[in-house]
Amino acid sequence: MPFEQWLAGRIPGVDYARVSADPSARSATRRRLREAGTGVRHQHEDNLETAARLGIAIVASFEDNSMSAVNPHVVRQAFREIIAALLFRQTQDGLPVRAVIATERERVWRTESDGLAFQQAVTVMSDGLFVERGKPYEWPGPQQAVPGALSGEQEVENTRRRIGRSVRRRAIDGSSPGGRRRFGWQAADPTLGVQVNMLMDTAEWPILCKMIEAGLQGIPWKEIARRLNADGVLTASGKAWSGETVRQALVNPVLCGYRAIHGELVLDPTTGRPVVGKWDKPASVPEWQRLVEISRARGATRGTRLSNGSPKPGGTVGRPRKYLFSGTLRCGAATASADPCLQRMGGVRRPTSADPDNAVYTCTRLGCGRTARNMRSVDEYLTRMVLSVMDERRRSSPMHAVARPGAEVLRRLYEELRLLDDRLLAESGTDSALVLHRHGLLERIALLEATQTARTNGEPEQACIPSAWPDMSLAERRAAIETVLECVVVHPLPPGRSRCAPFDPGLLEIRYREWVRPVAAGSAGLAARNDSRS
Ligand SMILES: [Zn+2]
């Protein structure tokens, strides 16, 4: 059935549901008192009923599960999607949107800034409709505060955000990490102008270096702790060492001058490279990376809790990697138990006299290291596979047919602006209400254009990656690869095959992300054709 026929004159809209994770709603007393039917499913059912009653056709449903709408650090993905859909007056699939339904407005926003963003999106054109509590919502006048916003808590959040910003700014400056004294560094000494954690403590420094050395040798954290305690060495807070405190000290990026906040490395906003602090550093960057790898490998095989350390366990967020596919490749060698090793493979330079830039990907597991592959061949082959999948996806995407999202809304706003300017010109620009209206119109146009740009930049899969590839940075390429590949298992060379034999792509087992698989199947033929041509 054609879409217009299905719509049958109804208003196209989306519905939004959110299960609260706000602390107040989580408390046991509140939960007992809370009325039944606030779960996501009930909210959607309510919304569908309301939609049917008001002649709205739901073209897409959005929900944020167990998400607080108060904490500004929590990214509500569905909320962001819905803002964009309303601004552009179309969903990502290109379906029209004019209305949005929620059971109560508190489901949608709890902070003033979210409330304003939502209002701007709904009212970007005058046909926008927000339905809550079963009826169309009347927006307050411009002077009134947005209802539903928690002004007191908002203030707390603002303060928290300001503090967070200043911590990050200080980190970007490369000045002292601040906070509590760390083992190995001196405490603050205001009389000498010494900040905490900047200068080495001469007594503890050699011990810290020995700890790093032991960690790099693969000695268990517990054993390192046992030796420290046997020598009567105490932590910076004066306690005995445990395996976990040793591990935390040794995976901390401050060892090599890097800094992490909430598990993410602090990057220089202009270069995108990690900021290197000015404090004394007991380890090199590769040494610290190796310690993190060791920690991860242990956590993965023994289920150790890794949630306290930084950087984020298991994640690759913000970790500097020098090579395109390091971290994507997994070692396919069989272990003693006959299961594949599956350790992440890292890049290593192996200069030869014929090729000083030669490098290989190799298994990083202690005691394995049985799989290695020429980096240039792997990069060339996998890049071609990834780009062909992306190209296929772009051409089969409904968005490909649609122009830039929101183009139609923009066209209409510019048209309105043109008519307005004609009127102002005719009345020689004296009508203050019209001037004010024009100001608001320009603001909406700017907002829409900024959102378009942000979405195109922030979501590489929306942009035309194959043509942008040559200009993309390593980090951008790695991020794009991550959207397509789950991992690639590198199988060892079959027995008897020379290490000088030509590169064999058949030994690379590509595991695509689930939602890419149908596309990958379609583009496999294409990639194979490209293959035979090159
Ligand atoms: Zn291995």
Side-chain angles (χ1 to χ4, degrees), residues 296-342:
R296 284 223 182 105
R298 285 178 186 165
T301 51
R302 281 207 252 128
T304 312
R305 193 168 61 91
L306 283 174
S307 54
N308 278 341
S310 55
K312 214 178 280 177
T316 53
V317 183
R319 257 196 87 221
R321 284 183 188 273
K322 254 163 112 182
Y323 304 106
L324 199 52
F325 288 97
S326 54
T328 307
L329 303 179
R330 300 281 184 282
C331 171
T335 60
S337 65
D339 292 326
C341 163
L342 294 185

